[in-house]
Amino acid sequence: MSAPERIPPRSLTSAALLAEGELTVRGRIREASNAALYCTVAYEGRQAACVYKPVAGERPLWDFPDGTLAQREVAAYEVSEATGWGLVPPTVLRDGPYGEGMCQLWVDGQPGDELLALVDGEEPGDGWKAIGFAEVGDGKTALLVHADDARLRRLAVLDAVINNADRKGSHLLPADGGRLYGIDHGVTFNVENKLRTLLWGWAGEPLTEEATEVLTTLRVDLGEGGALALRLAELITTAELDATRARVEALLTSGTHPEPSGEWPAIPWPPV
């Protein structure tokens, strides 16, 4: 069998494939903490690779309701699309070989974009933002930094809106055409502040004009009767939707990127 066709992540064909296509499991992604299956999906003569995460394969978490991670992944995609930034690959909720689950278009990460690094010294160099110090063995530490990259900065805003509790380095996928995607959004939309990320480099800095415009649009879309609000109401609880509105409002009121709260570990473990 030939390799599945790589369809551009934002094409209409992608959405039709994921929602309506025949899903065939090809293997398991063993690095994933929950059941994640590598699949192909075929529809009207087209085929593409995708990830299928059945609800039945989700491990219980103490701070998230059981059986809700797939819906949260789809909700993150819906918010990403509402921003116009297209930071999350097309994601749908559908039935599959192991029951209902999240199905997301597979994106091949492209080498070459260095987004994270460990450097000597106490200050990042030009083009980098400091995250914090990390142990590197033998009692030594190095400064963990991320690129001062507009794509990462947009993702940091998205993570603040969806309250992402697990933005690891391995969840960043540089793709063809200079695109950057974020994946693995199962632990999002909690009503409590659980933002945990590697993208703290802009903490406390003013939001860009672009981000402010996007957040203003989100505020409208999340209002009562707004298209995004209606869609999210199918995926997360009323309290979680209200908390999302409150986070958008807080970002617009402060005009700055959020800072670690001190009430929750600021950096995920392991960081990559």
Side-chain angles (χ1 to χ4, degrees), residues 83 132 135 239:
T83 66
E135 294 185 6

Coordinates of all heavy atoms in Angstrom, one line a residue, residues 83 132 135 239:
T83 N -9.6 32.2 16.0 CA -8.6 33.2 16.1 C -8.1 33.6 14.6 O -7.5 34.7 14.4 CB -7.3 32.8 16.9 OG1 -6.7 31.7 16.2 CG2 -7.7 32.4 18.3
G132 N 13.7 29.5 32.0 CA 14.2 29.2 33.3 C 15.4 28.3 33.3 O 15.8 27.9 32.2
E135 N 18.4 21.6 35.2 CA 19.6 20.8 35.5 C 20.0 20.0 34.3 O 19.1 19.4 33.6 CB 19.3 19.9 36.7 CG 19.0 20.7 38.0 CD 18.8 19.7 39.1 OE1 19.0 18.5 38.9 OE2 18.5 20.2 40.2
A239 N -19.7 26.0 33.1 CA -18.7 26.7 33.9 C -17.4 26.8 33.2 O -16.7 27.9 33.3 CB -18.5 25.8 35.2

